């Protein structure tokens, strides 16, 4: 037996226990895929034993199971100590947050043959994306060819950092980064980055489903157009500061208007839940 796939098969802990016990005598597995099943709680040690016995395990896909939180380091540990030749690791939907990604990457850093890392549907956010980019840029995964960070709440700054890092990898093949918070400006910069690195068009996945209104970054990294984190609109970085904030350079009129509102609040009367009209504001 070389390939075992039980993805989305409604396997319970009881079923997993029977399955893993049956696999304890197997040493030939190359691919193990049990994503999106209700397993990994009480059977975590049995699974660890199965992984530890394989002599040439190439791919492990564990997303969407109960292997998360305190259980996650246990599997990472057994993989890195007994399956250091692993080429694909899929940890989508395992609740990895931006604050936890550094520990996760450090634990799997011995996987120097890793070619495919799937971290889709986690919550890396911008901080976690920058951490991931730093590990890649530092040569932690020198053979990485495919990276999937879809649906991770990553904003423009994090996406740019990841793109810069993978563009420097020799032989890189595919970056999947859709369903995040990238602005149109950032997407254009990423596309240019890949083109300047002479990467084939196939190296960059689709970026059609991003929500720029959730982008927390309001400046670019080189002048020109920046993204307003409130409405996703661009503004000219050469504009006066007050104009960028949506007001005039002379804020006196705004101050006077605020004083009028304050005076109305003090002097106006409220009857039956409605403030009486003030002729000055008709």
């Amino acid at each position: 037996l070389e390939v075992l796939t039980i993805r989305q098969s409604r396997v319970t802990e009881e079923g997993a226990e029977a399955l893993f016990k049956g696999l304890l005598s197997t040493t030939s597995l190359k691919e193990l895929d049990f994503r999106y099943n209700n397993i990994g709680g009480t059977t975590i040690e049995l699974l660890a034993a199965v992984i530890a016995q394989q002599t040439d395990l190439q791919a492990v896909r564990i997303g969407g199971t109960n292997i998360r939180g305190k259980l996650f380091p246990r599997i990472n540990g057994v993989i890195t100590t007994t399956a250091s030749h692993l080429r694909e690791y899929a940890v989508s939907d395992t609740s990895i947050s931006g604050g936890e990604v550094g520990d996760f990457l450090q634990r799997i850093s011995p996987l120097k043959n890793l070619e495919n890392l799937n971290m889709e549907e986690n919550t890396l956010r911008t901080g976690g994306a920058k951490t991931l980019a730093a590990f890649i840029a530092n040569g932690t995964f020198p053979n990485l060819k495919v990276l999937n960070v879809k649906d991770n709440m990553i904003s423009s700054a994090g996406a740019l950092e990841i793109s810069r890092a993978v563009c420097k990898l020799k032989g890189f093949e595919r970056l999947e980064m859709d369903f995040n918070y990238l602005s149109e400006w950032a997407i254009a910069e990423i596309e240019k980055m890949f083109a300047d690195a002479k990467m084939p068009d196939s190296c960059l996945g689709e970026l059609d489903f991003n929500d720029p209104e959730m982008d927390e970054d309001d400046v670019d990294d080189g002048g020109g157009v920046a993204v307003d984190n409130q409405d996703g609109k661009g503004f000219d970085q050469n504009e006066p500061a007050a104009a960028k904030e949506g007001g005039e350079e002379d804020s006196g009129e705004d101050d006077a208007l605020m004083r009028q509102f304050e005076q109305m609040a003090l002097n106006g009367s409220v009857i039956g839940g409605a403030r009486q009209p003030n002729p000055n504001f008709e």
Side-chain angles (χ1 to χ4, degrees):
L1 180 65
E2 293 188 348
V3 178
L4 177 63
T5 300
I6 52 171
R7 182 177 181 180
Q8 235 169 344
S9 300
R10 300 182 181 180
V11 177
T12 62
E13 291 281 44
E14 292 76 11
E17 181 177 358
L19 173 64
F20 295 154
K21 283 181 178 179
L23 290 172
L24 286 174
S25 59
T26 300
T27 60
S28 58
L29 277 175
K30 293 184 182 296
E31 296 184 22
L32 181 57
D33 185 345
F34 50 90
R35 286 173 288 182
Y36 301 101
N37 287 289
N38 187 29
I39 60 179
T42 58
T43 56
I44 191 72
E45 291 303 326
L46 277 173
L47 173 59
V50 170
I51 291 174
Q53 290 192 173
Q54 309 313 309
T55 58
D56 192 26
L57 194 59
Q58 300 290 314
V60 174
R61 307 180 187 102
I62 61 174
T65 66
N66 295 328
I67 301 176
R68 58 188 71 221
K70 294 180 179 179
L71 298 178
F72 200 38
R74 176 69 179 105
I75 291 300
N76 293 329
V78 73
I79 285 175
T80 54
T81 55
T82 65
S84 58
H85 43 276
L86 197 75
R87 296 182 182 276
E88 179 183 350
Y89 197 18
V91 291
S92 54
D93 189 18
T94 48
S95 302
I96 302 174
S97 69
E100 297 166 334
V101 69
D103 179 69
F104 164 67
L105 295 171
Q106 187 62 47
R107 286 178 182 275
I108 68 167
S109 61
L111 302 179
K112 299 305 180 187
N113 293 319
L114 190 67
E115 296 180 355
N116 187 328
L117 179 59
N118 184 343
M119 300 183 69
E120 184 177 1
E121 292 186 82
N122 285 291
T123 54
L124 299 187
R125 300 184 181 272
T126 298
K130 289 182 176 180
T131 299
L132 172 60
F135 271 82
I136 295 171
N138 289 337
T140 305
F141 307 109
N143 292 300
L144 190 66
K145 290 179 170 57
V146 178
L147 177 64
N148 186 341
V149 287
K150 285 183 177 181
D151 199 3
N152 265 279
M153 303 181 184
I154 299 171
S155 61
S156 296
L160 287 164
E161 289 294 317
I162 288 176
S163 299
R164 288 190 188 98
V166 300
C167 278
K168 295 178 181 178
L169 287 174
K170 184 178 180 180
F172 189 77
E173 297 177 359
R174 185 77 170 180
L175 173 62
E176 295 286 358
M177 202 161 49
D178 216 357
F179 300 98
N180 284 297
Y181 300 155
L182 281 61
S183 68
E184 291 183 7
W185 170 83
I187 291 173
E189 283 294 301
I190 291 168
E191 290 173 343
K192 182 178 184 299
M193 203 179 295
F194 273 72
D196 289 347
K198 295 181 170 53
M199 310 277 275
D201 291 343
S202 59
C203 284
L204 183 60
E206 298 294 331
L207 294 172
D208 296 333
F209 297 98
N210 278 276
D211 186 358
E213 292 190 0
M214 296 296 291
D215 191 354
E216 63 195 41
D217 308 307
D218 61 0
V219 293
D220 69 11
D221 61 351
V225 175
V227 178
D228 185 335
N229 66 332
Q230 296 298 318
D231 57 14
K233 297 178 181 178
F235 57 72
D236 185 346
Q237 286 193 318
N238 296 317
E239 288 184 69
K244 291 179 183 179
E245 294 170 359
E248 301 296 330
E249 287 187 68
D250 182 0
S251 60
E253 291 184 10
D254 290 338
D255 293 340
L257 184 61
M258 288 303 298
R259 285 196 294 272
Q260 283 181 294
F261 276 116
E262 290 170 1
Q263 191 62 38
M264 183 179 71
L266 291 171
N267 298 333
S269 59
V270 178
I271 300 175
R275 185 175 297 282
Q276 292 300 297
N278 188 322
N280 293 326
F281 292 92
E282 290 181 350

